[in-house]
Amino acid sequence: MERNQQSRRKFLKQNVLGGLGATLAPAVLGGSAAFAATTTPAILGGESAWNESRWPKWPRWVPETDEKKLLEVVRSGVWSRAGVVTEFEKEWAQTLGAKRCLTVVNGTNSLVVALNQLGIQAGDEVIVPPYTFIATITAVLSNNAIPVFVDIDPLTYQMDPAKIEAKITSRTKAILPVHILGMPADMKRIMQVAKKHNLVVIEDACQAHLAEISNQKVGTFGHAGCFSFQNSKNLPIGEGGAIVSNDDKFMDKCFSYTNLGTPYGTAVGAISTGSIMQGTKLRFSEYQAAIGLALLKRLDEETTLRNQNAEYLKSMIKDIPGIVPYKLYDDVTRCAFHLFGFRFKEKEFKGLSRAAFLAALRAETIPCSSGYVSLNTQPFLAETFASDTYKKIYSAKELDIKLYNERNHCPENLSLVNEAVWFTQNMMLARREDMEMIASAIKKIYDNADKIKAAAKI
Ligand SMILES: *Cc1c(COP(=O)(O)O)cnc(C)c1O
């Protein structure tokens, strides 16, 4: 009893006060990774798995190799879109095997623009998965369309192609699959459904740089592929995004739309061309492109390492009771592993709660997160449906949020959001022995689950 109370006090001190609710422990740690051969979990007062931690920092910046072009750009004074942006676009298109690439300010707007230049507008429905970052959905709403949620495949976490057809109506215009966690969605089957129903496909590949299906890069299966270069992403530029496609006409329109409606190829400042369509301004800048070109040089090598580490880690934890790692579709040849995901099954893990499991992992200095919360039931949808704009477009019945929620109920997604655990992509750039460290920490927590449960009461 006495000991239990002490442990509980320690648990609360370390985790509740220290921010049990925080989504991620500091991802940037340094020092030696010598494994502490203690059998007592850190959360119960044992030594943490790492006496000093050292997850790779993100983003990575190596002055000797990364700075030359950036400094040239900064010193040149040509900062608005010019030759370096074009060079980056060519490189990114070539890297993916796409005909064209257009950079924009961020991944969110790459989706907004791809949708509207493919004709998605007020009155249309777009099929989306519920297990994604909010930007996927707001891109649909930004075009005054309605997102229709298709539940996920519980093993791969991706939009379940078998459930798409039941959601298609006369208003459906597009399918917007997301390669979530950097693992490819089932693009072959999704494209079959799209073809059969004459739908446009826009891939949200914002987490999936260099991921592949049958050796073809994701983002190149649909009519358009959208990427993000936000700081956390596998190709980080702070902010940034790109649209890729093989459709010249569409890409010309995207250029015009994001450059105040000027004809394709118009240089910055060349106002004499006039504008051929309504547009806005979402341009990338030269110094962003210079950073992108520098980091792109490492992306392939980093992606290989993430794949090796993720597979190794998966092989070590898959047989621990209550730990069910991600599964890939059979034709996946490479993953981006923006996140390493698995399900935590409380019952099989001796009844330890996921919150207590995450706290115990963090105590071992292993950063982790429970990932997304349920997206399709968040207030932003009801708020949008209650807007004057939506009331002008849709009938009261179409905007009845209760009916909408019933139609968009996604039970598999609810189960996943309650069970998911994530590690971030930079952790997959650590050493092989660091993967062993994660696995042994999870085993240690499992072995002591009863004691942790008693101490934690969560
Ligand atoms: C990051 C992300 C986006 C948005 O990209 P930003 O560059 O942050 O605007 C869209 N979809 C998914 C799945 C993402 O992870």
Side-chain angles (χ1 to χ4, degrees):
M1 189 69 202
E2 173 71 61
R3 251 196 68 200
N4 249 351
Q5 270 180 358
Q6 259 183 13
S7 306
R8 176 159 167 75
R9 228 172 285 132
K10 179 153 190 177
F11 179 93
L12 289 171
K13 197 167 146 232
Q14 281 183 337
N15 298 286
V16 178
L17 301 178
L20 179 66
T23 45
L24 281 179
V28 183
L29 310 159
S32 118
F35 178 53
T38 167
T39 50
T40 307
I43 199 157
L44 297 179
E47 238 176 292
S48 63
W50 285 9
N51 43 14
E52 278 177 80
S53 328
R54 59 176 216 186
W55 299 110
K57 271 197 199 183
W58 197 259
R60 286 173 150 182
W61 187 253
V62 185
E64 300 76 50
T65 53
D66 298 345
E67 264 170 32
K68 191 168 172 280
K69 196 162 210 118
L70 179 62
L71 289 175
E72 278 168 18
V73 165
V74 171
R75 287 170 184 163
S76 76
V78 181
W79 294 351
S80 203
R81 185 191 167 101
V84 185
V85 171
T86 304
E87 188 185 338
F88 176 76
E89 289 173 343
K90 280 195 177 136
E91 284 258 349
W92 189 236
Q94 200 178 13
T95 301
L96 298 177
K99 191 169 174 194
R100 297 270 295 268
C101 167
L102 174 75
T103 49
V104 289
V105 289
N106 53 39
T108 304
N109 277 285
S110 70
L111 290 162
V112 172
V113 173
L115 283 163
N116 70 41
Q117 293 312 307
L118 284 166
I120 312 310
Q121 54 186 318
D124 293 340
E125 291 177 357
V126 178
I127 287 177
V128 293
Y131 201 65
T132 184
F133 183 58
I134 188 166
T136 314
I137 312 307
T138 52
V140 176
L141 299 175
S142 296
N143 286 298
N144 295 322
I146 290 200
V148 173
F149 291 90
V150 164
D151 209 354
I152 54 154
D153 174 326
L155 302 176
T156 63
Y157 319 152
Q158 311 297 323
M159 171 189 282
D160 188 342
K163 293 178 182 150
I164 295 174
E165 282 195 292
K167 297 277 178 146
I168 294 175
T169 72
S170 57
R171 295 194 138 180
T172 310
K173 285 282 165 61
I175 308 177
L176 177 37
V178 182
H179 305 288
I180 205 64
L181 311 196
M183 307 192 295
D186 192 350
M187 285 316 296
K188 288 181 192 163
R189 282 178 70 196
I190 290 169
M191 292 310 292
Q192 279 168 8
V193 177
K195 210 167 165 197
K196 186 171 156 197
H197 295 272
N198 198 24
L199 303 174
V200 166
V201 175
I202 296 117
E203 291 176 72
D204 182 340
C206 287
Q207 298 189 0
H209 313 73
L210 306 194
E212 287 175 2
I213 298 162
S214 304
N215 301 310
Q216 182 182 339
K217 300 278 191 298
V218 306
T220 67
F221 287 85
H223 299 91
C226 296
F227 290 87
S228 166
F229 307 121
Q230 191 273 336
N231 231 43
S232 68
K233 305 293 160 94
N234 294 17
L235 182 54
I237 310 181
E239 299 290 349
I243 305 165
V244 301
S245 178
N246 295 331
D247 182 340
D248 282 320
K249 230 174 117 193
F250 161 70
M251 290 303 288
D252 288 356
K253 273 178 30 183
C254 288
F255 177 96
S256 295
Y257 182 73
T258 57
N259 285 276
L260 299 164
T262 56
Y264 170 67
T266 302
V268 167
I271 46 176
S272 61
T273 56
S275 288
I276 53 169
M277 63 187 272
Q278 187 239 318
T280 181
K281 189 160 168 265
L282 299 167
R283 288 195 299 245
F284 212 46
S285 54
E286 292 284 278
Y287 43 81
Q288 288 177 293
I291 294 173
L293 283 165
L295 300 197
L296 183 50
K297 292 198 169 73
R298 283 200 292 272
L299 180 61
D300 187 64
E301 194 185 303
E302 287 172 343
T303 305
T304 300
L305 184 57
R306 286 190 192 98
N307 277 265
Q308 287 167 351
N309 275 332
E311 276 164 34
Y312 186 46
L313 179 57
K314 181 182 176 181
S315 75
M316 287 185 291
I317 64 172
K318 69 178 182 8
D319 296 324
I320 302 174
I323 304 292
V324 185
Y326 67 86
K327 192 179 174 294
L328 302 174
Y329 291 108
D330 289 342
D331 54 7
V332 170
T333 44
R334 201 180 199 195
C335 254
F337 288 112
H338 178 61
L339 294 151
F340 178 100
F342 61 93
R343 281 173 181 262
F344 176 81
K345 301 262 184 194
E346 178 176 328
K347 269 202 205 101
E348 285 87 343
F349 208 89
K350 302 182 184 171
L352 188 72
S353 71
R354 179 177 61 168
F357 174 72
L358 292 172
L361 270 179
R362 287 179 194 134
E364 306 287 347
T365 54
I366 296 170
C368 53
S369 157
S370 53
Y372 296 128
V373 293
S374 172
L375 186 62
N376 50 324
T377 50
Q378 283 183 29
F380 73 95
L381 282 162
E383 196 269 345
T384 307
F385 283 17
S387 68
D388 288 344
T389 307
Y390 269 60
K391 282 185 195 154
K392 279 181 198 154
I393 306 165
Y394 301 99
S395 71
K397 200 172 161 217
E398 286 167 316
L399 298 180
D400 181 329
I401 198 74
K402 236 184 108 206
L403 274 177
Y404 177 82
N405 284 338
E406 278 165 25
R407 273 201 303 270
N408 288 279
H409 180 54
C410 294
E412 290 297 351
N413 184 58
L414 284 179
S415 152
L416 179 61
V417 298
N418 287 325
E419 293 181 350
V421 176
W422 291 354
F423 298 135
T424 51
Q425 52 83 13
N426 62 306
M427 296 166 73
M428 296 298 118
L429 296 176
R431 298 161 310 173
R432 211 172 152 79
E433 66 204 76
D434 299 322
M435 300 302 112
E436 290 161 10
M437 184 83 65
I438 297 175
S440 59
I442 295 176
K443 278 188 199 123
K444 186 166 77 172
I445 294 167
Y446 175 76
D447 290 342
N448 293 277
D450 290 331
K451 282 186 225 156
I452 295 171
K453 209 172 118 187
K457 303 250 180 350
I458 57 171

